[in-house]
Amino acid sequence: MRLTVRVSIADQRLYLESDQQVLASYSVSTAKNGVGEQEGSGCTPRGEHEIAEKIGQGADPYSVFIARQQTGEIYSSVLAVQHPERDWILTRILWLRGCEPGFNLGGQVDSFNRYIYIHGTPDTEPMGIPRSKGCIRMRNSELIELFDKVEPGTRVRIEA
């Protein structure tokens, strides 16, 4: 069974599929700046991607990551007040690599070098509306479920 992931920016949903059959559907939050591939745009890139790396296997739910490393912190409202400037990346990271040279791979449009992830976010962050800085945010429990089902190389299609 070959799994694929499809992200619909219009619907703010992520679909786990096999042979074009939907196995699971999750509400997500993509970029508040909309779609775009340019480095520094704060936009969610479109097109064909693959999961390049899975980070955080076995980490506690709500584990905090900075620069893809666990900080040893567990997210809480107290921590949020202490660090209001942080863009919280929690629980797990699925780091994406673009597959389309000149569109989302290479140069100033490289999704991997832009650090585009599927990652967890605080429960206080709404799903179903664009709010991220380019990444695809998910509820932590749903991200763990997805993380456990996909592998590096799994295709991810991000469509407007």
Side-chain angles (χ1 to χ4, degrees):
M1 176 170 70
R2 182 177 164 92
L3 296 176
T4 59
V5 173
R6 181 170 54 90
V7 177
S8 170
I9 292 172
D11 298 337
Q12 292 293 292
R13 296 207 65 85
L14 182 148
Y15 302 94
L16 181 63
E17 300 176 335
S18 177
D19 299 322
Q20 298 181 346
Q21 299 234 353
V22 176
L23 304 176
S25 173
Y26 307 100
S27 186
V28 297
S29 178
T30 61
K32 65 182 172 188
N33 288 351
V35 296
E37 293 66 44
Q38 191 65 35
E39 187 175 326
S41 67
C43 294
T44 298
R46 295 161 293 177
E48 294 294 329
H49 291 78
E50 67 180 6
I51 295 171
E53 293 185 34
K54 291 174 57 174
I55 300 167
Q57 178 72 43
D60 289 331
Y62 304 96
S63 293
V64 176
F65 289 82
I66 294 178
R68 297 157 310 285
Q69 301 295 315
Q70 283 183 260
T71 65
E73 302 163 309
I74 300 295
Y75 180 84
S76 68
S77 57
V78 171
L79 194 61
V81 169
Q82 291 172 346
H83 302 281
E85 75 291 349
R86 284 193 190 170
D87 180 24
W88 297 99
I89 297 174
L90 307 179
T91 305
R92 306 278 189 281
I93 297 169
L94 296 171
W95 192 357
L96 303 182
R97 175 181 292 118
C99 297
E100 299 175 73
F103 184 66
N104 58 26
L105 176 64
Q108 298 297 305
V109 295
D110 195 286
S111 295
F112 187 80
N113 291 339
R114 289 181 58 205
Y115 304 103
I116 299 296
Y117 313 139
I118 300 170
H119 67 79
T121 196
D123 291 339
T124 54
E125 287 295 312
M127 292 293 115
I129 59 171
R131 293 272 302 239
S132 82
K133 295 182 178 180
C135 290
I136 299 157
R137 296 176 176 177
M138 292 183 71
R139 291 275 167 247
N140 296 286
S141 61
E142 294 175 341
L143 175 60
I144 291 170
E145 183 179 304
L146 177 66
F147 188 96
D148 290 345
K149 291 179 180 175
V150 298
E151 295 300 329
T154 299
R155 296 297 265 201
V156 177
R157 172 144 189 87
I158 304 172
E159 54 194 31

